[in-house]
Amino acid sequence: MFILFINSAQAQISPPGVGSTKGVSWGAIGLTQHLRTRWVSSTYVGMARESDPDNWALFKKQGLLVLNEEIGYGLTSHWQLSVAGSFRRQNEYSAEAPFELENPAHKKEVRFYSRLQYKHHLRQVAMTYTFRPEWRTFYQSSDTPLSTPEEIRIRLKAQASIPLNQAHSNFLIGGNEVLTVTDKTQENTWSTYHFTEDRLSLYFRHVFAHSPLIVDLGLMEQFKPHGHKTSYLAFDLQLQDPFGKHAAH
């Protein structure tokens, strides 16, 4: 029961927010492996490329590199708790044409988060609700202090996975995620808690029979306050238990 729950709860590797550009392409490779009956490890590496703010050249320039590791524990057949760490390197570009690299050119981030998930079925539709608190710290190779060196962020997400065939090899996965945050300033104070963005996503998933391979292809729309929107084209490959499943007790 726990293995089936954790397998089905694994979602697509959603693209991270890149910035105030117009379009982003995101690709990732992930590996999920059950360590014991209720324990599961999920690792992925992902890369985003982005357009300029005034065009749709999704692959034009490097945007973001992500390394992520998450350990999950199945509390019950419906509940799962995870902890994770992540390293990210993001390219920084000027907001004015010709949108060249800033100096310094990169901003680095170390992130730690936890994830509490609840899953249930509405007939054939698998519903997943996620509460995800995060702590993020940023740094760069410059003597100029960052305007927001730390953040505490809370993410709330609802997701529906709809099977498209009787073999349950094709799925349509839709999700909505709301992000809120408080930022630490240069004066060592914290901002008021506020809404930052809403992310809507729609994915097609194919699960290969007699294979650990899962393929996801999807779109995400990122809506920020004051009307700014960024569109994402996302693709990921996931290997589920390539080293075999741990036997249930």
Side-chain angles (χ1 to χ4, degrees):
M1 181 180 294
F2 290 112
I3 290 176
L4 288 174
F5 163 68
I6 295 175
N7 271 342
S8 58
Q10 297 303 315
Q12 71 285 347
I13 304 174
S14 299
V18 170
S20 298
T21 190
K22 194 168 187 177
V24 176
S25 57
W26 163 256
I29 298 176
L31 186 152
T32 298
Q33 180 64 48
H34 286 83
L35 307 176
R36 301 192 63 180
T37 306
R38 301 191 187 191
W39 292 94
V40 61
S41 169
S42 298
T43 306
Y44 76 82
V45 56
M47 185 178 72
R49 295 190 67 84
E50 62 183 271
S51 69
D52 291 325
D54 61 353
N55 60 53
W56 288 101
L58 302 182
F59 302 92
K60 181 176 181 179
K61 55 191 183 183
Q62 176 62 25
L64 185 68
L65 175 67
V66 180
L67 300 174
N68 204 89
E69 169 62 22
E70 182 170 339
I71 300 293
Y73 180 76
L75 299 170
T76 71
S77 59
H78 293 284
W79 291 92
Q80 182 184 7
L81 180 64
S82 304
V83 293
S86 185
F87 171 79
R88 303 173 182 225
R89 191 186 75 167
Q90 183 169 348
N91 289 48
E92 298 283 282
Y93 296 97
S94 170
E96 304 294 332
F99 312 112
E100 296 179 339
L101 279 170
E102 296 276 20
N103 184 21
H106 304 99
K107 181 174 69 174
K108 300 179 178 67
E109 174 191 342
V110 175
R111 173 185 305 187
F112 297 99
Y113 65 87
S114 61
R115 187 199 307 266
L116 180 63
Q117 286 186 318
Y118 176 76
K119 179 180 177 296
H120 71 101
H121 281 79
L122 296 175
R123 296 188 177 182
Q124 294 295 314
V125 180
M127 300 295 302
T128 304
Y129 308 98
T130 303
F131 170 73
R132 176 172 159 172
E134 298 179 336
W135 175 77
R136 310 198 296 167
T137 182
F138 306 94
Y139 59 97
Q140 60 185 14
S141 56
S142 171
D143 295 332
T144 304
L146 292 167
S147 57
T148 55
E150 292 182 45
E151 280 188 351
I152 296 175
R153 188 162 70 170
I154 292 178
R155 303 164 62 154
L156 299 173
K157 184 174 183 179
Q159 179 176 286
S161 179
I162 305 170
L164 300 178
N165 58 357
Q166 291 185 346
H168 282 209
S169 59
N170 296 323
F171 295 86
L172 195 63
I173 303 173
N176 185 25
E177 185 172 34
V178 175
L179 290 81
T180 54
V181 71
T182 176
D183 304 295
K184 189 175 183 180
T185 67
Q186 294 177 354
E187 292 76 25
N188 205 32
T189 60
W190 291 87
S191 71
T192 56
Y193 187 68
H194 58 282
F195 164 80
T196 59
E197 60 195 82
D198 188 8
R199 299 177 181 178
L200 292 173
S201 60
L202 185 64
Y203 274 77
F204 171 78
R205 160 169 290 185
H206 179 70
V207 180
F208 287 86
H210 312 296
S211 169
L213 183 61
I214 295 175
V215 176
D216 295 317
L217 177 64
L219 300 171
M220 187 179 83
E221 296 293 326
Q222 178 187 33
F223 300 92
K224 291 188 176 182
H226 313 298
H228 181 78
K229 180 176 75 72
T230 303
S231 300
Y232 295 75
L233 175 64
F235 174 79
D236 65 70
L237 298 173
Q238 297 187 56
L239 294 174
Q240 297 277 343
D241 291 307
F243 305 110
K245 295 180 180 179
H246 188 278
H249 297 301

